[in-house]
Amino acid sequence: TGPFVKVNAGALPPDLIESELFGVDSGAFTGARARPGRFEAANGGTLFLDEIANLPPTGQAKLLRVLQTGEFERLGSNETKRVRVRVLSATNTDLAQAIHEGQFREDLFYRLNVIELKLPPLAERREDIVPLARHFLGPDFDLDPEAERALNTYAWPGNVRELGNSIQRAMLLADNKTIGVAALGLKISVSPTDARVS
């Protein structure tokens, strides 16, 4: 029932990370007005840090204290604030490899990694493809059987985002409310053996 605040961690400019996450106090810099950061906005709810592996090292360091204690100061303030926030994070990066290469802090990983969910790529979850496609289509469109077969044959290198975009494009290009293979516009790869002429 609490707030749900989303942050694309990889899109935060390095010089704005602190003010975006923890807020700004009046007078912190010329023309600064007091405003809460994302942690304050999510107090009593959930903060979703998407693309966490793309957060620069300075931003990673700033997260450590608030994740451990729930305490932080707004930029330009000496007053310690305390929040109670559930933190979710997501990445498509292999964090173990990123830690090994010195690109992600190991201590931050262990503070975030209370429960880990690994979602296999869509190509390994064939049973999810058509139900997801129907979800993106909504109640006004349907798939013909050939379109369903094409969806299940395609490799989906772009995962669910690619599927969503393909369905959106198909709805725009379809001649009627039943989506056919042509409207999907999928480039089904053909292996050399399939292409061989006997």
Side-chain angles (χ1 to χ4, degrees):
T1 59
F4 182 77
V5 177
K6 296 176 279 187
V7 181
N8 184 341
L12 293 175
D15 54 341
L16 296 179
I17 289 172
E18 192 169 2
S19 62
E20 287 296 314
L21 293 179
F22 307 127
V24 178
D25 214 21
S26 296
F29 48 85
T30 304
R33 293 183 176 182
R35 66 174 176 83
R38 308 298 176 88
F39 273 92
E40 249 180 291
N43 192 24
T46 302
L47 178 66
F48 176 45
L49 300 172
D50 197 11
E51 304 294 351
I52 190 69
N54 295 336
L55 191 66
T58 53
Q60 293 178 32
K62 292 179 189 305
L63 279 179
L64 290 171
R65 177 181 173 216
V66 68
L67 291 176
Q68 184 69 32
T69 66
E71 296 179 348
F72 65 92
E73 290 82 32
R74 284 183 177 178
L75 186 65
S77 172
N78 293 325
E79 178 190 352
T80 299
K81 293 186 173 287
R82 184 169 183 82
V83 291
R84 184 174 173 82
V85 175
R86 175 193 300 115
V87 176
L88 302 177
S89 59
T91 183
N92 60 3
T93 299
D94 181 343
L95 288 182
Q97 184 66 28
I99 290 168
H100 178 72
E101 294 171 355
Q103 296 177 9
F104 196 80
R105 292 182 65 120
E106 189 172 17
D107 49 0
L108 177 58
F109 172 77
Y110 287 117
R111 288 189 193 172
L112 287 169
N113 193 33
V114 178
I115 297 174
E116 182 177 355
L117 301 176
K118 288 190 177 181
L119 191 62
L122 191 56
E124 294 176 17
R125 297 182 286 128
R126 293 281 168 194
E127 69 280 2
D128 290 344
I129 293 172
V130 171
L132 280 169
R134 292 189 185 286
H135 167 75
F136 292 131
L137 283 171
D140 297 331
F141 286 86
D142 199 8
L143 291 166
D144 74 21
E146 285 297 319
E148 287 189 16
R149 278 193 283 278
L151 290 172
N152 280 319
T153 304
Y154 186 66
W156 300 111
N159 286 305
V160 176
R161 286 190 184 106
E162 184 184 8
L163 174 61
N165 288 341
S166 296
I167 295 299
Q168 187 175 18
R169 180 178 58 245
M171 289 189 291
L172 292 170
L173 298 176
D175 295 329
N176 54 55
K177 298 296 184 182
T178 300
I179 304 295
V181 177
L184 290 172
L186 300 177
K187 295 185 175 31
I188 308 295
S189 59
V190 179
S191 71
T193 52
D194 293 335
R196 192 170 53 219
V197 178
S198 55

